[in-house]
Amino acid sequence: MSARLVLLGPPGAGKGTQAARLAERLGVPAISTGDIFRANIRGGTELGRTAQAYTARGELVPDEVTNAMVRDRLAQDDAAEGFLLDGYPRNVAQVAELDAVLAADGRGVDLAVELTADPEVVVARLLHRATVEGREDDTEDVVRHRLTVYTEQTAPVAALYAERGLLAQVDGIGDVDEVTQRLLDAIGQPAR
Ligand code: AMP
């Protein structure tokens, strides 16, 4: 089965954890734009320096930077048969870009899955994560701003996929294994 999947959901809904599990199970690479930015920030690259000014404040990195990075990543061999995008597209313009990149090879997104979670639960989770991982964008002000950015810019992405009949919503609250199984059910992958 080809699996060109998009994983949506507010920060703190567990996208990163679930993306890694799903990718392993489906045999496709998990491509996390947030992880790629963080790796570049750690590595001190030019992309990292550009991104950090935005990630630290919880703002979206400008589309031209993000889109070019995703375009390069999707052109790599391991993404030819499928991928799971985690954290992209994050606004309506990025949806159009992804459509164009895939359409150039006669491809398209098969399904967008939105991991849903109550905002107060995700804020609590992220503030806890801050004490464990020390991410610089997990302070309370920045976390709340990232949620606002999600509501204003990324929720319309889910609405767009819903209009196309390509959105599945999955409750992100619960045991990690249970949530993985819910996601696999939504994707149409039989239980092992
Ligand atoms: P995440 O790990 O997905 O929460 O992403 C961390 C940060 O990276 C976000 O708050 C943004 O600053 C930036 N970022 C990640 N993905 C994107 C994207 N698709 N477009 C713009 N900025 C992004």
Side-chain angles (χ1 to χ4, degrees):
M1 168 185 119
S2 95
R4 296 188 179 92
L5 304 169
V6 166
L7 189 59
L8 301 167
K15 285 193 306 298
T17 304
Q18 295 297 341
R21 295 173 140 236
L22 289 177
E24 202 253 331
R25 178 64 192 271
L26 301 171
V28 296
I31 300 177
S32 158
T33 42
D35 281 352
I36 301 175
F37 286 132
R38 279 184 289 279
N40 277 277
I41 292 169
R42 277 196 305 276
T45 67
E46 194 184 332
L47 174 68
R49 278 191 293 279
T50 304
Q52 190 172 22
Y54 300 91
T55 60
R57 287 187 282 125
E59 296 287 349
L60 295 187
V61 177
D63 285 347
E64 58 270 26
V65 175
T66 308
N67 287 339
M69 181 176 94
V70 172
R71 189 182 275 272
D72 284 352
R73 181 62 188 87
L74 289 178
Q76 289 175 24
D77 288 347
D78 66 339
E81 293 305 318
F83 50 77
L84 176 63
L85 282 168
D86 161 16
Y88 183 94
R90 213 123 152 171
N91 61 28
V92 167
Q94 293 180 6
V95 175
E97 169 71 12
L98 179 60
D99 285 344
V101 168
L102 297 178
D105 296 322
R107 298 178 292 165
V109 168
D110 296 316
L111 188 70
V113 187
E114 183 183 23
L115 210 47
T116 62
D118 180 85
E120 287 313 312
V121 173
V122 303
V123 170
R125 272 195 194 173
L126 290 173
L127 295 180
H128 173 71
R129 184 171 81 184
T131 64
V132 180
E133 293 179 14
R135 256 176 68 165
E136 80 171 338
D137 59 348
D138 277 347
T139 63
E140 181 152 6
D141 282 356
V142 177
V143 162
R144 292 202 182 275
H145 186 60
R146 284 160 60 207
L147 274 171
T148 304
V149 169
Y150 188 81
T151 307
E152 291 178 355
Q153 302 199 48
T154 312
V157 170
L160 232 167
Y161 284 115
E163 274 171 33
R164 297 179 185 181
L166 291 179
L167 183 74
Q169 286 180 310
V170 169
D171 181 2
I173 304 298
D175 176 74
V176 178
D177 286 335
E178 258 173 51
V179 175
T180 304
Q181 193 54 55
R182 284 178 209 151
L183 286 161
L184 288 168
D185 290 345
I187 294 164
Q189 183 77 3
R192 207 161 17 195

